[in-house]
Amino acid sequence: MRPRPILARIAPALFGAGLILLLPVVALAATGGGKTPGADEAILVAEIVLLVLVGRLMSEFMLRMGQPAVIGLLLGGVLLGSSVFGALWPSAHDLIFPHEATTKAMIGAVSQFGILLLLLLTGMETDLRLVRRSRRAALAVSLTGIAIPFACGFTLGQFLPDSLLPPGHRLVSSLFLGTALSISSVKIVAAVVREMKFMRRNLGQVIVASAIIEDSVGWVIIAVTFGIAQNGTLDALSLARTVGGVLLFLLASFTIGQYVVFRLIRWVNDTFRSEFAVISCILVIMGGMALVTYGLGVQTVLGAFVAGILIGESPILTEHIQEQLRGLVAALFMPVFFGQAGIAADLTILKQPQLLMLTGVIVLIASVGKFSGAFLGGTLGGMSVKESLALGCGMNARGSTEVIVATLGLSLGLLTQSLFTMIVAMAVITTMAMPPMLRAALARLPLGKEEQARLEREEMDARGFVAKLERLLLEVDGSANGKFASRLAGYLAGARGMPTTVVRVDAQSKAAETEAADDSHERQIKEGAKESADATSQIEDEKPRHVDITTRIEPEIRKPEAMAEMSRKGFDFLFVGIADARDPSGEFSRRITELVDGFEGPLGVLVPPDRANHEPQPDSILVPVNGTDVSRRGAEVAFVLASAAQMNVTALYVSPSTVRRGQLVRRNEEAVLKDISRLAARYRVRLRTQIESHDLTDAPILKEALKRHDLIVMGVSRRSGDGLFFGNTASALLKKWKGAILFVAS
């Protein structure tokens, strides 16, 4: 069967889109345009519908062409503007996009709020750890990458014809032009580098880190520029006041502000029961900080951007919450804002040879200035010529940042319509040229040994279990096993800087001991977290991460519905350690079942040694493995614990004796143990591997454990039933083994 032509395949989508595009026009025409009550609101809805629809179609088209989606959103606005839609159907264009101040103010308000949300999202996606890892090269690239094109843009602004500048604003307009030519768009740069699977490469990290620094410095420059614009002149006292206010705001934000934001988000997340409470909290934080910067005499955009950085650094911010906010911004506010920018860009002015030539000059100065600045920064940062060339190509993308800067300048009357259009054209051209140039430059870069080792480690983490955990919930009593569980929980939390909430499950019966016991548990977690963080920093060459600990006394948490609510609050691992984990028959006690009942995520259950008040001090761990994801998760937890406490680990593979041990079976066993060995090497753990053949899986495990091991860590699966049950092997070990066992259940 012959495939249908492309036009035939997309014809239904084009026909449907055309009908939807006509609906707002027909509906407004039928009601008489702006003559009926509520017409302004109807026009606003029609504008949003068209901007979202056309922007989404164009962004999808650009993505399929290998270009960033934001270019499609901009081009969608150009299609709906006077350059295309207005030229082809002027009456319909004037009906939906009228020139009345009321309707323009309404869509403008939506667009301006979209700017704040875009900067909030940009800040949230700013990875400060990435900046710290690549700080030397990234700082050199960003500083020279800003200084050279900024100087070029500012100089160009000083020589532009008066007709292209607002009267009396040459200085501020030149500052805006210099800023627009100097800052790379971190969203565009990161998206292209990520799409090329280059994000984790050393050079990819330098490119993104440089773009992050440029974005941050750029918004400070813009804030100062706004302060100058509002004062009307370059007054030294006013400039000092503006710069001082910005510096104080940044200092307060990244000290006490970071603490307040984290505490506030956690309190809302853990206290509120209504839907999307954290999203509301984030929007309030963004709005509050935006108003603070406005009160300091600079624009609200700086407050929104800094708020995004602080919110993104909060360890309570789960990926699920970020996706909710990102979906809202990407689906509604991005198409509206960039579409409005595209509409405001009147490309018909480029019919004039002089303006077309000036646009070419702006593009040339922007490209040469950015390329040379980034190349020089890479050279000063100790990078090779090939790497510096790739840096120059990668940083030459403006996109979203320049459009935001230009839109703000236009709205404040600091840019003329013609100069705004030139800046938007420059942003589109440089952004579309960047991906193919960067692909060609990166394809020639070899992979070093250190980089190869780091990429293998990160690839292993991407498949791993512990690396994806974000919050830890610990349920303990005042027993020795509770303290040991706290120490092990500290090992887990310290490896990733996980906030940990401790719940005392014996608070009512031992009220007099609560305060002292809580201090004891917190001390164990802190000591364990420090050991683990130190071990992790040596492996990953990163600064040890702080672990925030909260102690709660909530008897109702033991109810199944309360535990289910806790798992939805972002607690993605439950760790339980109490004295009476076993009942007299050797099964899990009813108390353990009550504590975990209702929790929907992974959990760890620490069973103490069968000796009263004995706190285990293990120096060797036994891990049963069988090739399943479940056993691999148990092994990974064991390696994290062993790495922190400097323990030895034995991985035991038990093969059923009823299975013929042919070459295929042996290869499978060796492959499993090889994968486990690589995982142990990732955490720099001393590993011993062993293969046993037996009909009963628990027998070789018990035999090996009795030889030299103090703790068994076993990956298991939860099985259905009235009580807590992890399968026959786990049940047999629970009955027969008198030492400590940590069950890691998926």
Side-chain angles (χ1 to χ4, degrees):
M1 183 176 178
R2 294 175 59 188
R4 292 185 298 167
I6 294 178
L7 184 60
R9 281 183 281 170
I10 66 173
L14 291 175
F15 180 72
L19 286 179
I20 297 174
L21 285 170
L22 287 174
L23 283 177
V25 182
V26 174
L28 289 175
T31 58
K35 300 177 182 179
T36 59
D40 289 339
E41 289 81 359
I43 290 173
L44 176 64
V45 173
E47 289 176 345
I48 291 176
V49 168
L50 285 176
L51 289 169
V52 170
L53 175 62
V54 177
R56 185 56 54 201
L57 291 174
M58 288 301 298
S59 64
E60 182 69 21
F61 175 74
M62 296 306 293
L63 280 174
R64 292 172 185 266
M65 294 289 291
Q67 293 290 337
V70 69
I71 299 300
L73 299 178
L74 268 173
L75 294 180
V78 172
L79 292 177
L80 290 173
S82 57
S83 306
V84 181
F85 185 33
L88 297 176
W89 196 357
S91 58
H93 178 271
D94 292 341
L95 185 64
I96 297 181
F97 300 101
H99 298 290
E100 283 82 1
T102 305
T103 52
K104 291 184 74 173
M106 292 171 67
I107 192 67
V110 177
S111 179
Q112 291 299 313
F113 191 69
I115 293 177
L116 297 183
L117 289 176
L118 279 171
L119 289 171
L120 171 73
L121 199 59
T122 302
M124 289 172 60
E125 294 172 348
T126 298
D127 190 348
L128 295 184
R129 285 183 296 147
L130 192 66
V131 175
R132 285 192 289 265
R133 277 201 298 266
S134 312
R135 54 185 174 271
R136 181 193 168 194
L139 191 60
V141 171
S142 58
L143 291 181
T144 56
I146 287 178
I148 294 178
F150 182 86
C152 293
F154 182 83
T155 303
L156 177 64
Q158 293 297 299
F159 289 97
L160 283 176
D162 292 336
S163 59
L164 289 178
L165 300 172
H169 287 294
R170 180 175 291 274
L171 173 63
V172 180
S173 298
S174 299
L175 289 172
F176 260 89
L177 187 59
T179 305
L181 267 61
S182 61
I183 307 176
S184 301
S185 173
V186 65
K187 292 178 70 66
I188 301 296
V189 170
V192 174
V193 173
R194 187 181 297 113
E195 176 238 330
M196 296 176 63
K197 297 181 172 38
F198 226 83
M199 180 64 85
R200 307 319 305 172
R201 291 284 300 271
N202 288 344
L203 184 63
Q205 293 193 2
V206 172
I207 291 174
V208 176
S210 301
I212 290 171
I213 296 174
E214 284 192 10
D215 239 32
S216 305
V217 173
W219 288 115
V220 174
I221 295 174
I222 292 167
V224 174
T225 304
F226 277 127
I228 296 172
Q230 290 176 353
N231 293 317
T233 59
L234 185 57
D235 178 63
L237 182 61
S238 300
L239 179 61
R241 190 183 302 116
T242 300
V243 173
V246 170
L247 293 178
L248 283 175
F249 170 74
L250 294 176
L251 179 63
S253 297
F254 290 103
T255 51
I256 187 173
Q258 194 165 9
Y259 174 82
V260 171
V261 167
F262 165 57
R263 295 285 174 176
L264 186 58
I265 290 178
R266 184 176 66 179
W267 177 76
V268 170
N269 181 74
D270 296 350
T271 306
F272 282 60
R273 296 185 178 181
S274 54
E275 291 186 324
F276 309 117
V278 174
I279 299 294
S280 299
C281 177
I282 289 172
L283 294 177
V284 169
I285 292 171
M286 177 202 73
M289 295 187 69
L291 291 175
V292 168
T293 54
Y294 181 79
L296 291 173
V298 296
Q299 263 289 333
T300 55
V301 290
L302 179 64
F305 179 69
V306 174
I309 294 178
L310 299 184
I311 292 166
E313 288 292 296
S314 172
I316 301 299
L317 192 67
T318 63
E319 186 65 28
H320 177 62
I321 294 173
Q322 291 191 65
E323 288 299 325
Q324 289 175 342
L325 186 60
R326 189 178 293 112
L328 171 68
V329 177
L332 175 60
F333 289 100
M334 282 183 67
V336 171
F337 169 71
F338 287 111
Q340 278 290 102
I343 289 174
D346 184 8
L347 298 184
T348 58
I349 67 168
L350 299 181
K351 293 179 181 178
Q352 304 176 39
Q354 182 187 14
L355 295 183
L356 181 60
M357 184 181 68
L358 280 173
T359 303
V361 170
I362 290 176
V363 173
L364 181 63
I365 290 176
S367 300
V368 173
K370 174 58 72 175
F371 184 88
S372 58
F375 182 86
L376 177 61
T379 304
L380 294 175
M383 309 192 79
S384 67
V385 174
K386 288 185 178 180
E387 290 174 328
S388 298
L389 285 171
L391 273 169
C393 296
M395 301 303 292
N396 193 32
R398 272 66 176 195
S400 56
T401 304
E402 274 59 33
V403 175
I404 295 174
V405 173
T407 302
L408 291 171
L410 182 65
S411 65
L412 292 174
L414 304 175
L415 297 178
T416 61
Q417 185 72 45
S418 298
L419 191 54
F420 170 82
T421 300
M422 293 177 185
I423 292 175
V424 171
M426 178 272 296
V428 171
I429 292 170
T430 56
T431 302
M432 293 184 69
M434 178 264 210
M437 292 174 61
L438 185 60
R439 288 189 188 99
L442 293 181
R444 298 179 176 87
L445 290 177
L447 196 66
K449 290 184 179 180
E450 178 275 331
E451 189 175 15
Q452 177 72 37
R454 181 177 59 79
L455 290 174
E456 289 177 356
R457 183 176 70 241
E458 291 177 354
E459 182 182 357
M460 194 164 292
D461 285 347
R463 293 177 50 212
F465 170 67
V466 176
K468 297 175 182 176
L469 299 179
E470 295 179 329
R471 290 192 76 186
L472 183 63
L473 180 63
L474 176 65
E475 291 187 322
V476 290
D477 59 11
S479 66
N481 193 52
K483 295 174 184 177
F484 182 48
S486 298
R487 170 68 65 142
L488 297 185
Y491 291 156
L492 285 176
R496 287 289 175 264
M498 285 185 280
T500 302
T501 298
V502 182
V503 178
R504 286 297 309 275
V505 298
D506 58 349
Q508 286 183 319
S509 59
K510 298 184 178 182
E513 304 174 16
T514 296
E515 184 176 353
D518 284 348
D519 290 341
S520 174
H521 287 297
E522 286 198 16
R523 187 169 60 253
Q524 291 287 341
I525 295 172
K526 288 177 180 178
E527 291 175 359
K530 185 180 184 307
E531 293 178 25
S532 182
D534 290 342
T536 302
S537 65
Q538 292 178 8
I539 297 172
E540 301 181 3
D541 192 24
E542 283 189 4
K543 181 181 177 181
R545 305 181 197 177
H546 172 72
V547 174
D548 186 85
I549 304 171
T550 305
T551 301
R552 300 176 61 170
I553 304 171
E554 295 187 13
E556 67 271 17
I557 200 173
R558 285 169 268 169
K559 299 177 182 178
E561 57 271 20
M563 288 304 299
E565 179 68 18
M566 292 297 285
S567 60
R568 287 192 293 270
K569 291 291 187 182
F571 291 100
D572 44 15
F573 191 76
L574 170 64
F575 203 118
V576 182
I578 60 173
D580 54 343
R582 290 186 178 100
D583 65 15
S585 65
E587 301 289 347
F588 284 114
S589 65
R590 178 170 293 277
R591 180 73 167 149
I592 283 284
T593 301
E594 290 174 351
L595 290 175
V596 304
D597 192 19
F599 191 80
E600 299 171 359
L603 58 92
V605 178
L606 180 63
V607 179
D610 194 13
R611 283 164 283 181
N613 298 322
H614 175 73
E615 183 175 350
Q617 299 290 337
D619 57 13
S620 182
I621 299 176
L622 174 64
V623 181
V625 295
N626 57 14
T628 63
D629 289 339
V630 171
S631 72
R632 193 178 191 276
R633 291 184 192 124
E636 185 178 354
V637 170
F639 295 150
V640 173
L641 304 180
S643 176
Q646 300 298 307
M647 292 186 281
N648 298 317
V649 179
T650 297
L652 176 63
Y653 188 106
V654 180
S655 177
S657 58
T658 54
V659 177
R660 292 184 59 189
R661 293 179 53 78
Q663 187 175 4
L664 182 62
V665 173
R666 285 195 296 272
R667 279 206 303 265
N668 179 65
E669 295 169 349
E670 291 170 359
V672 171
L673 292 178
K674 186 177 180 180
D675 177 59
I676 295 298
S677 298
R678 284 198 299 265
L679 190 59
R682 182 259 177 270
Y683 291 100
R684 297 184 184 175
V685 170
R686 296 184 297 274
L687 178 69
R688 172 176 167 268
T689 61
Q690 186 173 339
I691 299 176
E692 293 286 347
S693 179
H694 202 282
D695 291 337
L696 298 175
T697 306
D698 60 283
I701 297 175
L702 286 169
K703 179 182 176 182
E704 179 63 27
L706 288 169
K707 290 180 181 178
R708 67 188 85 203
H709 302 289
D710 311 291
L711 174 65
I712 298 176
V713 178
M714 184 175 182
V716 293
S717 296
R718 296 178 71 169
R719 312 293 175 88
S720 59
D722 294 334
L724 187 62
F725 183 62
F726 292 144
N728 293 328
T729 301
S731 181
L733 289 176
L734 194 62
K735 291 178 179 178
K736 300 175 183 178
W737 171 243
K738 303 305 180 182
I741 312 176
L742 174 59
F743 293 107
V744 180
S746 302

